[in-house]
Amino acid sequence: MKRIVTVQDLSCVGRCSLTVALPIISAMGVETSVLPTALLSSHTLFPDPAICDLTQQIPSITDHWKKIGVRFDGIYTGYLGSLSQLDMMAGFIDEFGGEGFVFIDPVMGDHGRLYSGFTREYVSRMARFCGRGDIIVPNITEACLMLERDYLGDSYTEADLREILLGLTGLGAHKAVLTGVSMEPGKLGAAAYDGDRGEYFLCMGDRTEGSFHGTGDIFASVCVGSLAQGYSLGQAVEAAVEFTCESIRLTAAEQRDRRFGVNFEGALHLLTDSAR
Ligand code: PXL
């Protein structure tokens, strides 16, 4: 069985980051270790969450891991709360990267804006950190910020997407996936560029109108689970688009407070079906 480690926050309420990554990647039959970066009473779209930063705990956790000789087949980083955590991650990859893949979701913003607490300096340091990734999966907001381009908004062409993907692999990552892409009504998905093969592809699913939170983390988790299982980038992105679109569809039917995240639980069967 493969073992990955995911490095991101634990938000107690509002499905995102670890509360999404753990169940999804585990359901895919991949052992999931965690390195929590912060403990929050909720994610930051709820007002005034209580936040306990865990930066100081990270060295003692990783020192212990070195002593017990733990190894990982992949490293997946998500929401990191501070510049010092970004700096620590470079050393973490040196120490624990080994032969495994490095998957970076540069979680910082959406809808053209940074999430609360993130700065321009964090953006440029994250852009540099993305150079350490084998696969990076920004949304359009994060990609435009890192490439210092104006936010594309909702109207863009395939040529724009290709240009951004080339820019992203230019940061040093081997493969880049742009998430939250919608080019025609009723469709939502991702565009990807595999720099090793020089291949570009677009993968679309059925879109449910509305704004849904935590979907980037869901998409990234399915990608990580698929890659750890040995699937190609194309297969991983296809599975992630299908799963994310289905989770959103189930959520829209529910009439609940959208800040609690999307109903991925109802879609887990897609990942465990023997067909995959
Ligand atoms: O889903 C991204 C995310 C992860 N973690 C925390 C967040 C957010 C987005 O708002 O606030 C704490």
Side-chain angles (χ1 to χ4, degrees):
M1 188 185 257
K2 301 289 185 186
R3 176 191 302 122
I4 64 101
V5 59
T6 180
V7 187
Q8 48 187 328
D9 67 283
L10 177 56
S11 287
C12 302
V13 163
R15 285 167 285 191
C16 70
S17 38
L18 282 183
T19 57
V20 161
L22 255 178
I24 290 179
I25 304 171
S26 298
M28 297 177 81
V30 175
E31 183 185 339
T32 309
S33 305
V34 299
L35 182 51
T37 55
L39 176 64
L40 294 90
S41 53
S42 76
H43 59 60
T44 60
L45 294 192
F46 284 104
D48 305 320
I51 302 179
C52 174
D53 182 276
L54 297 174
T55 308
Q56 301 216 323
Q57 275 63 45
I58 292 178
S60 46
I61 293 171
T62 54
D63 284 350
H64 179 237
W65 287 358
K66 275 185 239 170
K67 281 195 199 121
I68 61 174
V70 64
R71 293 255 166 270
F72 303 109
D73 299 298
I75 295 175
Y76 159 29
T77 68
Y79 183 103
L80 305 173
S82 65
L83 288 173
S84 44
Q85 286 186 357
L86 256 182
D87 291 341
M88 283 179 179
M89 281 310 105
F92 183 74
I93 289 170
D94 291 339
E95 189 67 46
F96 293 98
E99 300 293 295
F101 62 84
V102 176
F103 184 102
I104 298 174
D105 185 357
V107 179
M108 298 183 281
D110 206 356
H111 307 297
R113 301 178 51 185
L114 285 171
Y115 293 134
S116 84
F118 289 96
T119 61
R120 291 270 154 190
E121 184 175 7
Y122 186 93
V123 173
S124 61
R125 299 266 284 274
M126 178 56 93
R128 202 178 333 141
F129 179 58
C130 278
R132 298 292 314 265
D134 295 307
I135 305 113
I136 61 174
V137 294
N139 59 31
I140 294 176
T141 299
E142 292 153 348
C144 290
L145 284 165
M146 289 197 291
L147 298 177
E148 298 179 9
R149 294 176 56 126
D150 289 339
Y151 177 53
L152 278 186
D154 296 331
S155 66
Y156 39 83
T157 61
E158 238 183 287
D160 293 326
L161 299 181
R162 280 174 190 258
E163 197 182 307
I164 289 183
L165 286 165
L166 275 179
L168 290 170
T169 49
L171 297 174
H174 295 259
K175 303 166 205 251
V177 181
L178 205 45
T179 65
V181 167
S182 185
M183 314 260 297
E184 54 178 305
K187 294 284 168 198
L188 176 69
Y193 180 68
D194 183 333
D196 294 334
R197 296 169 174 226
E199 274 172 20
Y200 164 85
F201 60 89
L202 200 57
C203 179
M204 288 292 152
D206 291 328
R207 176 180 194 153
T208 307
E209 285 308 318
S211 179
F212 298 88
H213 185 254
T215 51
D217 301 339
I218 288 174
F219 180 95
S221 299
V222 178
C223 277
V224 167
S226 297
L227 293 168
Q229 286 174 314
Y231 288 101
S232 69
L233 182 68
Q235 289 168 315
V237 169
E238 206 174 298
V241 166
E242 185 194 8
F243 185 82
T244 308
C245 287
E246 176 62 4
S247 302
I248 292 172
R249 192 185 67 77
L250 293 171
T251 310
E254 269 183 342
Q255 307 298 334
R256 285 173 93 223
D257 182 339
R258 294 271 170 89
R259 293 175 300 179
F260 285 89
V262 297
N263 178 357
F264 70 86
E265 294 87 344
L268 282 173
H269 66 94
L270 294 175
L271 304 174
T272 53
D273 282 352
S274 54
R276 240 184 89 68

